[in-house]
Amino acid sequence: MASPVVIKKEKVDEPRPSPSADAGEGQTEAEIECRMIELMGEFPKGINDKILETDMPNVDKKVKVAILNRLLSQEKVNIFRAAVTKELFWCLKQQPTSKLKGVDSEEKIVMRIIEEAGNKGIWNRDIRTKSSLNQTTLNKILKALEGKKLIKSVSSVSAAKKKVYMLFNLQPDRSVTGGSWYSDNEFESELVDVLNQQCYRILQQKAEGAKQKPLEGPLIVRNASFLSSKEICQIISDLKIVKFNLTVEDIETILDTLVYDGKIEMSSTTDGYSDGQVKTYRTVEKILSSAGIVRIPCGVCPVIKMCGTVGAVQPKNCVYYDQWLD
Ligand code: SF4
């Protein structure tokens, strides 16, 4: 990013909808604001229009501007203009550690370590190693800083019993919360299954539609059967299957699972407007269905060498077969 020129306040004049109103696509302004703050945590150097458009393509630009202006007036974010491109960027306003009032020197050391960890957070043990404080003192300091609402602890999906600490005003990174597919540290497997099936159905319908048109050959039919992840995200959002603000990145994680299952294929292209690549997807038509023998679990069984008529691993009590037959 080009070196920024900081400007004090630059509001964009747009009509502001009521904060309680549905901001479009079933999302409230509060949810969109929350996602914006999360994005600013992911991009500490600032977010611009392009990042917002990619992450929340279904949210009206007026709503985004109204939320950003409100965050500015609440002094939660800073705005600056890039020196070369003149693009506007918004970033989280953080209280400099050195200016904190009522915080003693040991607390400042801990705050600085936590601040450096950003929105990915840092474990208690790592803070102890970096600060060289003993566990009892550190626990007291962490408790005091939490009480002053300067830091917060967040449970990580990667290790539910371990908490990571981060600055109070940061939204945890996706690697901590697990992203949209986790709720209270639980993986939303049913929702993922529904979206997986829905994405596949949308691509099947697109492929069938492409075949119906009197086009000029198989290559054109093939090209007409692709949909970009942004288009699929828009269709799924319109169906209102999910209650949160679905991002293109969320949909790409679902589409990736279909690619790994061999049901669809991915290609990339440019949208003609930006430098970035756009991911597009289409269903894969199998010329021949695979023979039954290659689909049985024994073909990929990790314990096949131990399997027999005696011993702990036997076909008659095989869990892989039970799952496969189900
Ligand atoms: S029967 Fe079950 S345990 Fe034995 S090889 Fe097949 S899949 Fe593996």
Side-chain angles (χ1 to χ4, degrees):
M1 188 196 306
S3 57
V5 175
V6 178
I7 52 179
K8 276 200 168 171
K9 264 185 189 172
E10 181 162 340
K11 288 189 180 181
V12 185
D13 292 331
E14 293 284 353
R16 180 182 156 190
S18 156
S20 60
D22 181 346
E25 309 305 332
Q27 299 301 301
T28 63
E29 282 199 22
E31 287 168 323
I32 297 165
E33 179 181 314
C34 196
R35 178 59 190 149
M36 281 182 178
I37 293 173
E38 191 182 3
L39 273 177
M40 287 181 222
E42 287 171 25
F43 297 90
K45 290 181 180 174
I47 58 170
N48 59 2
D49 253 353
K50 199 170 162 185
I51 293 172
L52 285 172
E53 179 56 26
T54 307
D55 192 81
M56 40 186 82
N58 310 317
V59 178
D60 193 315
K61 194 173 177 184
K62 286 177 186 171
V63 176
K64 289 180 200 163
V65 170
I67 294 170
L68 286 168
N69 279 344
R70 186 162 69 243
L71 288 171
L72 272 173
S73 64
Q74 291 169 348
E75 304 202 337
K76 286 184 180 172
V77 301
N78 274 331
I79 185 171
F80 60 86
R81 195 181 284 280
V84 179
T85 61
K86 306 293 179 204
E87 267 184 292
L88 284 176
F89 283 84
W90 292 266
C91 64
L92 279 180
K93 196 170 189 173
Q94 290 184 7
Q95 184 74 34
T97 308
S98 58
K99 289 185 184 172
L100 293 170
K101 287 179 186 167
V103 174
D104 67 29
S105 54
E106 283 184 337
E107 288 177 343
K108 277 183 190 168
I109 293 169
V110 173
M111 275 290 288
R112 195 167 298 122
I113 293 167
I114 293 173
E115 191 175 5
E116 280 168 9
N119 68 341
K120 293 195 173 163
I122 182 166
W123 285 352
N124 185 314
R125 194 189 57 191
D126 293 337
I127 303 173
R128 184 158 47 97
T129 309
K130 287 190 176 184
S131 64
S132 304
L133 291 166
N134 68 50
Q135 190 64 60
T136 315
T137 311
L138 178 59
N139 286 346
K140 272 188 200 164
I141 291 172
L142 290 171
K143 209 169 174 184
L145 292 174
E146 279 192 274
K148 290 173 189 169
K149 294 200 182 306
L150 292 171
I151 63 164
K152 63 183 171 187
S153 60
V154 181
S155 296
S156 170
V157 286
S158 58
K161 287 184 183 164
K162 286 183 181 170
K163 287 180 176 175
V164 291
Y165 292 89
M166 65 186 67
L167 292 186
F168 190 80
N169 63 342
L170 291 183
Q171 286 293 320
D173 184 76
R174 282 172 171 240
S175 59
V176 177
T177 61
S180 305
W181 312 127
Y182 281 80
S183 172
D184 297 332
N185 281 12
E186 291 288 326
F187 182 60
E188 299 258 22
S189 58
E190 278 182 27
L191 176 62
V192 170
D193 282 347
V194 168
L195 287 175
N196 190 298
Q197 288 164 18
Q198 196 60 47
C199 286
Y200 187 59
R201 200 166 298 138
I202 290 167
L203 288 170
Q204 274 183 320
Q205 284 169 356
K206 180 71 179 170
E208 281 160 18
K211 282 183 200 160
Q212 307 291 319
K213 291 179 187 164
L215 297 170
E216 294 168 11
L219 193 60
I220 295 176
V221 171
R222 181 182 180 279
N223 290 343
S225 63
F226 278 99
L227 272 177
S228 71
S229 46
K230 191 175 173 181
E231 288 169 318
I232 298 170
C233 181
Q234 180 69 59
I235 296 168
I236 300 268
S237 298
D238 290 346
L239 292 171
K240 300 196 189 303
I241 297 172
V242 292
K243 292 197 172 105
F244 53 86
N245 185 30
L246 194 65
T247 65
V248 173
E249 196 184 356
D250 290 333
I251 280 298
E252 285 177 356
T253 59
I254 298 283
L255 291 165
D256 282 346
T257 64
L258 288 167
V259 173
Y260 300 143
D261 287 344
K263 290 179 172 176
I264 64 170
E265 65 178 352
M266 190 199 81
S267 182
S268 16
T269 180
T270 56
D271 61 6
Y273 302 104
S274 61
D275 301 335
Q277 293 281 307
V278 175
K279 289 182 181 174
T280 58
Y281 301 83
R282 71 185 283 269
T283 52
V284 174
E285 283 182 29
K286 288 185 183 159
I287 298 167
L288 291 172
S289 62
S290 50
I293 189 72
V294 300
R295 283 186 263 136
I296 63 169
C298 301
V300 288
C301 178
V303 289
I304 192 166
K305 287 185 180 163
M306 295 158 67
C307 186
T309 52
V310 291
V313 186
Q314 295 187 35
K316 67 181 178 189
N317 55 21
C318 173
V319 289
Y320 301 125
Y321 255 99
D322 290 344
Q323 286 168 3
W324 184 63
L325 289 169
D326 280 347

